[in-house]
Amino acid sequence: MSLFEMLGTALLGPLKLVFEVIFSVANGAVNNPGLAIIALSLCMNLLLMPLYKRADAVQIEARDKEAEMKPVSDHIKKTFSGDERMMLLQTHYRQFNYSPLSALNGSVSLLLEIPFFMAAYQFLSNLEILNGVSFGPIADLSQPDGLIRFGALSINFLPILMTLINAVSSTLYLKGFPLKMKIQLYGMALLFLVLLYDSPAGLVFYWTLNNTFSLLKTLLGRIPRAEKKRPKPSRLSHLLQKLPGKREFQANTRVYVCGALFLTVLVGLLVPSAYVSASPLEFIDVENGFDPIWYVVRTACMAAGTFLIWMSVFYWLSGVKGKRVLCTLVWVLCVLMLVNYMFFGVDLGILSSALKYESGLFFTAQEIILNILVTVVGTLGLILLYLRFARSVTAILLSGTIVLSGMSAVNLAKTVPPVQKAFDAGDVWVGDDPHFSLSRDGENVVVIMLDRAMGQFVPYIFNEKPELLTQFDGFTYYENTVSFGGYTNFGTPALFGGYEYTPVELNKRDTESLVSKQNEALKVLPVLFSENGYDVTVFDPPYANYSWIPELSVYDEYPEIDAYITIGAFDGELDKLGMIGNNNRNFFCFSLMKTMPVFLQPLLYDGGRYGQVTDLARSTPNIQSTDGVSKAEGMEARFLNNYNVLLNLPQITQIKEGDEKNFLMMSNKTAHEPMLLQTPDYVPASEVDNTAYDAENADRFTLNGRTMDMSDADQMISYHANMASMLQLGKWFDHLRENGVYDNTKIILVSDHGRQLFNFKEMDMRKEWAATDDLSTLELYYPLLMVKDFNGTGFTVSENFMTNADVPTIATEGVIEEPVNPFTGEKITNAEKTAHDQFVIISNKWNTSENNGNTFLPAYWASVSDDMRDKENWEFYDNKIVLKEHAAP
C-alpha cells in the first residue's frame, strides 16, 4: 500500500463509505436505484448543509475583510516598493489578523466540493446495480443519457442541464463577490461539464440534483427574514451556571485534537489489531503475499480520515459555539465508545474472517437496557465532568491515547511470528497439486473428516435425495454418535488418535502441551499405516501445530508421508476467492460498530454486509447476504474454496494398477463454512432464489413424524452445506465404481462435532444446562459417522452407541493385526467406550491461541453412555474444573 493510496483512503474512504451506506439503505427501502440516487443527494445535502453554511459565512467574512483592507493595501502597493512595501503590508495584515493563507478562506466551498465530487465519481461511475436500469426518460443509468438525438447524432442533455443550473445558482450567489471568485465558480461549472459529459447518467443525475438543491438553498437564502428574538436562558443553563469550577463549555482545541487522536487509535488500531492478532492466519493470503497487518493499516487510514480530517473540517469551520459543542461531544464519544468496546458485546460467538458472526449479532433485552442506561447517564455525567474538570480532560485523553497505542502495538507484535512462519512455509501452501492414489487390487483405507458435518441431517438428506442410497451403497450410518466436545480442538484428537486422546485423557498428561498432544494424535494413523506398508497421504490435518493453516511440518520426520494443503489449491471459477478488497472496507465498519451502543450495532452490522450495496455484496466473493431461508445474494469464499476440493476429488484421485495398499486421511470444511445454495442441485450461485422449490418441498423436513425446524437462515444454510458435501461425495463414489476401486476401499466419513442449531426441541438443553449459556443443545455434540467396509452392500442404519473416537479402531480393523499406537505403545481399541461413561467437555474455548496450555481451560463437563439423543442419559456437572480422572467432578 503506497503513501498515495493511504492518503486517498484517508481523504476519500470515509466519504465513499457514507455514500454507499446511504444509497444501500435507500435502495433497500424503495428498490429503485433512480429514487435511491435522489435520496442520496437529498441526504448528503441535508448532512452537509451546516458545513456549507459555515463555509459560505467564512467566504463572506474573507470577502468583507479583504474589502476593508483593500484601500490601505492598494495605497501601500502604489506608494511603496521593495522591502519597505513588504514590511508595511505585513504590518497591515497583522492588524487585521490576516495571512497569505487566509486567501484560501475565499475558496472554502470550492475546496470542499472537490473531494465530495471525487468520492461520488468513484462510487457512482462503476456501480453495477445501475446497469440496464431505466429511470424516467433515462434509458440506462450506467450509460451517458443521450436524451437529445438528431439522426445518428446523440447529445447528452443531463450535463448541459447540470451546467445551466450551476450557472444560474452561481450568478445569484456571486452578487457582491470579487471577479476572482466569479472566475473560480464559472470555471468550475465548465470543468464539470467537460469532465461529466460522457459519464454515466446516474452520476450526472446525482450532480444535477446537487446543483438543484444548491440553487434552492441560494434562493431561500435571499428571502429576508424577521429578526429573531434572543431566547430566554433555560432552567438547565441556570443550573449549569451554579456548578462550581468551570461554568461554561470551553472551546479547547487541545481537547478536540487529543479526542480525535484517541478515537483514531481506538477505532483504527486497537479494535482491528485485537481481532487480527486473535487469529492472524485466518486473515492471511500466503499465495498473494498479503499480510493481515495491512487490514489494520487501512482501517487506521479510514479512522484518521474520519476523525482527524473530516471531523476536523467541521471543527475548523464551526463558530465558537459549535467548537464548544464538538469539544464536549468528542470527550463524551471517547469514553462511551471505549466502554462499549470493553464491556458490551464481548462474547458474541465465533467471528469469521469475513467479519460475520457465526450465529448472527444478537443482544439480550437486559444488555440493551443496561447499555441505554449507561449511555444516557454516562453522557450527562461526562458533560458535568467536562464542565467541572475541563483542564484535566486533555491529560486524560492524551494518556488514554498512549495506553491504547501501546495495547495496539502489543497486538500487532503478536501477529508477526505466526504470519512470518506462514510466509516462510509458503512453498508448502503453493507447492505441488494435491493428489493421492487408490489401487485396483490392493486395500485402500480412506478417512474423511467433514468438519462440523451434522449427524442429524443424514436421514433428511437421503430422504430428499434418494439417489444417494445407491451412491452410498455399502455404508452404515451410525445415528447414535457422540463427540467429545463442541469444537475442533476438543473433538479432533480423539477422532484421529482414539480413546487415548479424549479431553479427559489429554488432561491426565498434564506435563505435555496440548499442541504436542494434538500433533501426536494427527500422526497416529498416518504413521501406523505407513509402518504397515501403506502409501500414506494427508490433506489439511486440522489444527496441526495449533495453526489455522495446518503446518505440514508435523510430518517432516516421516518423508514417506505425503502431506498437502487442498483449500484453494484448484483452478476454476470458484477457486481462491479472496477477502482482501471487501475486508479493507468492512474492518473499519466492524471497528466502528464494536464501539457503538449495542442497540445501534445491528443497524451497521446489517447481517454482515455493513451497509454494502446489494450489488457489490453479490459480486464480492467473500460474503453472502440471506433474505429469509430461501433467497440470498453473494457467495462465501471460504465455502467455495472447500467445496471446490470435493468438486475436484475425481481429478485428485490417481487410479493405479496393482495391489499396493493406500491410506488417505483428509479434512474438509465445506459443512463448516455454509452458504445458501441453489436448489434442486444445491450448487453455488451469486443469486439464489429457492422460493418455489421450498414451497413445493415443504414436507422434506418431516420424516417418520419427526419434524426438523428450518425456520431461520442459519439452520437452512447448514443443511445446504451438508447436502452439497453428500452430493459431491456421491459423485466421487460413482467415479470410484467406474474405475474399479470402490469395493476394495474402506471409507469412513466422520465429523469432529456438530453445530448448535436447535433443529429439535428434544435435544434442547437450555433448561438442564442453563449455566453453559450458548452450549446447551445436544446437536453440538452429535457428529456425523458413516462407514463403508470392504465389499459392503446395501445402506444400513445402526443405533449402536458410538463416538468419533471409534474411528482409529474402525480404520485398522481387519487390515492391521493388533494395531498399537506408535507413540504410546498402547493397543488401539474401543474397549474404553463400554468401560465407563464418556465425558464430554462443555466449553466454547475453541481459540487455540488462548486454550493452549498443558490442560484445557476449566470447563463444564457432561457424561453419557447410551443413546446420546436422549436427555435422560446425560449427566451434567455444574462446576468448572480441569477433569483428569474417570470420576464425577
Side-chain angles (χ1 to χ4, degrees), residues 393-461:
V393 168
T394 302
I396 293 172
L397 291 175
L398 186 58
S399 300
T401 302
I402 294 172
V403 171
L404 297 186
S405 299
M407 294 169 64
S408 303
V410 171
N411 290 337
L412 293 174
K414 286 164 57 178
T415 69
V416 173
V419 169
Q420 188 58 51
K421 196 172 184 180
F423 282 131
D424 291 342
D427 57 326
V428 175
W429 176 261
V430 297
D432 297 335
D433 289 337
H435 63 276
F436 67 96
S437 300
L438 297 178
S439 63
R440 284 195 167 96
D441 299 317
E443 292 176 338
N444 306 304
V445 179
V446 175
V447 176
I448 300 178
M449 188 197 93
L450 298 171
D451 199 333
R452 205 168 70 175
M454 307 287 288
Q456 68 207 45
F457 285 161
V458 173
Y460 298 87
I461 288 173

Side-chain angles (χ1 to χ4, degrees), residues 121 142-145 154 156 159 193-201 204:
Y121 187 89
S142 67
Q143 300 295 325
D145 62 87
S154 176
N156 299 324
L193 173 62
V194 174
L195 291 176
L196 297 180
Y197 184 78
D198 288 320
S199 295
V204 185

Side-chain angles (χ1 to χ4, degrees), residues 462 467-476 733-734 737 742-743 747 787-789 791-796:
F462 278 67
E467 63 269 25
L468 289 173
L469 292 170
T470 301
Q471 293 176 318
F472 280 70
D473 183 46
F475 273 89
T476 296
F733 297 155
D734 285 342
R737 288 189 185 88
Y742 184 74
D743 290 337
I747 303 173
V787 179
K788 185 197 81 69
D789 208 342
N791 300 306
T793 58
F795 183 86
T796 59

Side-chain angles (χ1 to χ4, degrees), residues 251-264:
N252 190 327
T253 300
R254 286 177 296 179
V255 169
Y256 170 78
V257 172
C258 290
L261 284 171
F262 183 97
L263 293 174
T264 299

Side-chain angles (χ1 to χ4, degrees), residues 672-705:
H672 191 281
E673 312 291 350
M675 63 175 273
L676 201 69
L677 303 169
Q678 184 60 55
T679 56
D681 298 324
Y682 290 91
V683 293
S686 59
E687 293 184 74
V688 173
D689 188 350
N690 298 325
T691 306
Y693 182 87
D694 287 344
E696 293 171 4
N697 298 275
D699 60 346
R700 71 189 193 275
F701 299 123
T702 298
L703 183 63
N704 300 325

Side-chain angles (χ1 to χ4, degrees), residues 316-380:
W316 176 63
L317 289 175
S318 297
V320 175
K321 291 183 179 179
K323 285 183 169 68
R324 291 173 180 171
V325 172
L326 279 174
C327 285
T328 310
L329 178 63
V330 165
W331 157 246
V332 172
L333 284 177
C334 287
V335 178
L336 290 185
M337 290 173 75
L338 180 64
V339 169
N340 287 329
Y341 170 64
M342 298 291 290
F343 301 105
F344 291 94
V346 295
D347 191 10
L348 297 173
I350 296 176
L351 181 74
S352 75
S353 59
L355 304 178
K356 289 182 67 176
Y357 284 104
E358 188 175 274
S359 301
L361 183 70
F362 302 103
F363 299 99
T364 63
Q366 295 89 334
E367 190 170 13
I368 292 174
I369 293 172
L370 177 60
N371 187 248
I372 292 173
L373 288 175
V374 169
T375 301
V376 174
V377 175
T379 299
L380 295 175

Side-chain angles (χ1 to χ4, degrees), residues 439 441-445 534 659-663 744 790 814-815:
S439 63
D441 299 317
E443 292 176 338
N444 306 304
V445 179
Y534 282 74
D659 60 357
E660 71 177 29
K661 299 182 292 185
N662 301 280
F663 175 74
N744 64 319
F790 299 113
V815 295

